[in-house]
Amino acid sequence: MQYNFYLSNEDKERIYHTDLVKYGVKYDKAAKVAKILASNKEEEQWTEEERKLVLEACKQWLDSYNRYKNLQEFFY
């Protein structure tokens, strides 16, 4: 089932930030990345610094998320 509802940029930013921090991204870095991701700018419009920051944070998030999932499988 698909729901259609509106999320403001602030709501999106809050969700991204919470999830990034939950999986180990530093608070300040997560805040910057969340702002970039929630901005609705196309990836092609990001600066090189923004691209690098998002890539680093997302890689860190993915590594931690996968570690969590593997541990979850082990214990359950």
Side-chain angles (χ1 to χ4, degrees):
M1 180 180 291
Q2 185 177 2
Y3 297 98
N4 292 324
F5 56 92
Y6 175 77
L7 283 176
S8 69
N9 284 354
E10 292 80 21
D11 290 337
K12 290 178 191 176
E13 190 175 332
R14 198 172 308 120
I15 291 167
Y16 284 130
H17 185 260
T18 300
D19 209 45
L20 287 165
V21 170
K22 178 180 176 180
Y23 288 102
V25 178
K26 298 284 186 199
Y27 189 89
D28 293 336
K29 182 186 248 185
K32 291 176 186 175
V33 170
K35 185 177 280 301
I36 294 166
L37 293 174
S39 71
N40 293 330
K41 281 181 19 182
E42 296 290 328
E43 240 181 275
E44 295 79 24
Q45 296 175 334
W46 293 351
T47 66
E48 192 58 39
E49 182 182 336
E50 289 173 329
R51 186 173 283 115
K52 182 180 176 190
L53 190 63
V54 169
L55 188 62
E56 287 174 3
C58 289
K59 182 179 180 345
Q60 185 178 357
W61 178 91
L62 183 61
D63 291 344
S64 295
Y65 178 80
N66 286 337
R67 187 176 317 115
Y68 168 77
K69 285 297 188 184
N70 287 336
L71 286 172
Q72 203 174 29
E73 289 175 13
F74 180 73
F75 288 113
Y76 297 108

